[in-house]
Amino acid sequence: MSDIRRRDPRKEWIARNRLHPQHLEVLAELGRGAASEWMGPHGLIRRNPHAVGFIGPNGVKRIDRSGVQQGQGAGGAQASAAPRKPLVEIEAPAFLVAVVPDMAGGRLTGHDRDLLGLARQLADADPAARGAVLAVVFGEHKEDDFEGAGVDRLLHLTGPEVDGFSPEARLGALAAVEQAWTPRHWLLPDSKLGGADLGRRLAARLGERPATGVWQLEADGEAPLGWRCTARGAAGTLDFQRAVPRLVLALAECAEPVSETRHAAEPLELPEALPSQLSRIQDLGQVAVDPAGVALSEAEFILSAGNGVRDWDAFHHAAEVLGATEGASRVAVDDGFMARDRQVGATGTWVTARVYVAVGISGAIQHLQGIQTCDKVVAINMDPGCDMIKRADLAVIGDSAKVLEALVALVEQSREEKRNAA
């Protein structure tokens, strides 16, 4: 069922047409002064990609260079209003499309959301026999937006047997899901975070010939399951097509993530408890790695310095205490404060960090291009109007040296308290 409210189609059309002479008048009447969203012709809430603060499909916030954003208070009605998305509930799905996300760091990654968008294509292709997307999640997590990611059913499996690196136990759990519901498709990320390994193990268990390195799907009525996929082969140098099998391992950006609807994410439970098994693999925990030796392109936490950094010894100390990989803007590199291989941006290294902290970086367009796929961006700067502040998910206005000093003190205090408690 949907919670969409009917509106005057003519007014909706005027609200979408910014050149109409009554555009502003209708916006005011509908209570949309910022023209940030409207209802489309098919009843879906559309978002205006030209609106200030719009978040695109890759998580990149639209930058406003006009200064309009600075005039909007953070506590205003528009800033606090939650996006209104139609609710999609599938009571009795004709089939299931099972997705096993990586959940790196306990949250859905961009790759996971792309995979869920691909699952929605498979599930929603036939309106007469609509399927549901089932997400199978292992271990404890921090994700609170499965609904917005397109999940109809959520199977959350916890316990010491599936925590950490436990491919045998997880494979047994997926085999139990196969026995209980027999999904029409299995989708896993073809990634180094575990999805690629688990997907190939599952293929061997099910006796399926998987499609790996998939980056595109298209409908094909002549294929056995009605779909054809395009996949990367020959070490990424060639593309080839084949009919979509039951098990697909897809690459990042294989589909647009779900953005215009929210789904029920109803919890599911296995009809029977997972069988106990003796694992041949013992997880001894993660191996400690020196963040200074991690390449920027592979780093998950980057502390990056720009022209606003004056105390470089304090910056290096902060990176060491926080366990962050050091990066820099082009200005800092050109001035000789950082090595050339530490430069972030279109003219340096494109990074995909989970957290990117920009210290004293104003945000040149080349630098912003290089961090556009980072999940979370934190900016520390004295200038509240700089482009990096507008791009950031969290902004701290203040002297970078004092902010880093306070942050280091908090981290050291927390670690000392944990040692005393132990």
Side-chain angles (χ1 to χ4, degrees), residues 401-419:
K402 294 181 179 179
V403 173
L404 289 180
E405 181 182 358
L407 183 59
V408 168
L410 287 174
V411 172
E412 292 178 337
Q413 179 183 353
S414 176
R415 292 176 179 172
E416 184 65 26
E417 291 176 354
K418 290 182 179 179
R419 283 194 293 266

Side-chain angles (χ1 to χ4, degrees), residues 190 200 209-216 229-242 249 251:
D190 199 349
R200 286 162 174 81
R209 177 174 171 257
T212 62
V214 173
W215 63 273
Q216 187 178 31
C229 64
T230 305
R232 293 272 157 79
T237 60
L238 295 176
D239 284 345
F240 64 92
Q241 289 191 332
R242 59 170 290 196
L249 278 73
L251 300 174

Side-chain angles (χ1 to χ4, degrees), residues 6-273:
R6 297 294 181 183
R7 301 178 183 176
D8 187 338
R10 175 171 174 76
K11 291 183 178 179
E12 292 294 335
W13 178 81
I14 296 176
R16 295 194 300 268
N17 187 355
R18 290 178 295 168
L19 299 179
H20 196 281
Q22 296 179 330
H23 175 67
L24 296 178
E25 179 183 345
V26 171
L27 284 180
E29 181 181 346
L30 297 178
R32 304 182 204 163
S36 59
E37 59 181 39
W38 63 83
M39 180 174 291
H42 300 293
L44 295 179
I45 298 296
R46 300 290 184 180
R47 292 182 297 168
N48 180 10
H50 302 286
V52 173
F54 171 77
I55 304 296
N58 294 323
V60 180
K61 183 183 295 184
R62 179 168 293 279
I63 298 172
D64 170 37
R65 300 183 183 277
S66 65
V68 174
Q69 192 174 21
Q70 301 304 314
Q72 297 178 353
Q78 293 175 354
S80 61
R84 295 169 293 174
K85 300 179 182 179
L87 175 64
V88 177
E89 294 179 315
I90 303 176
E91 299 293 341
F95 58 91
L96 292 178
V97 178
V99 178
V100 187
D102 278 328
M103 298 293 292
R107 299 186 185 278
L108 290 172
T109 65
H111 194 167
D112 293 337
R113 292 181 179 273
D114 296 341
L115 196 67
L116 289 167
L118 188 68
R120 287 251 61 95
Q121 292 184 23
L122 295 170
D124 300 338
D126 186 1
R130 196 169 188 183
V133 174
L134 165 65
V136 183
V137 177
F138 294 102
E140 299 299 328
H141 66 81
K142 307 172 186 176
E143 184 59 54
D144 57 1
D145 190 31
F146 287 109
E147 296 86 351
V151 176
D152 300 304
R153 305 289 188 271
L154 177 64
L155 178 61
H156 184 201
L157 302 174
T158 59
E161 64 276 4
V162 296
D163 288 338
F165 182 70
S166 52
E168 294 173 316
R170 295 189 178 194
L171 179 60
L174 297 183
V177 174
E178 170 72 15
Q179 183 177 2
W181 296 295
T182 315
R184 178 179 291 184
H185 292 282
W186 283 94
L187 303 184
L188 291 92
D190 199 349
S191 70
K192 59 185 178 182
L193 299 177
D197 175 73
L198 185 58
R200 286 162 174 81
R201 290 174 183 266
L202 180 61
R205 172 68 66 89
L206 301 181
E208 297 283 348
R209 177 174 171 257
T212 62
V214 173
W215 63 273
Q216 187 178 31
L217 243 63
E218 57 184 8
D220 184 359
E222 298 180 359
L225 294 177
W227 293 88
R228 183 167 293 276
C229 64
T230 305
R232 293 272 157 79
T237 60
L238 295 176
D239 284 345
F240 64 92
Q241 289 191 332
R242 59 170 290 196
V244 172
R246 283 193 64 212
L247 200 152
V248 173
L249 278 73
L251 300 174
E253 300 184 0
C254 56
E256 288 291 334
V258 176
S259 61
E260 295 185 341
T261 57
R262 56 190 176 93
H263 295 251
E266 298 177 6
L268 279 186
E269 292 186 3
L270 286 172
E272 298 181 2

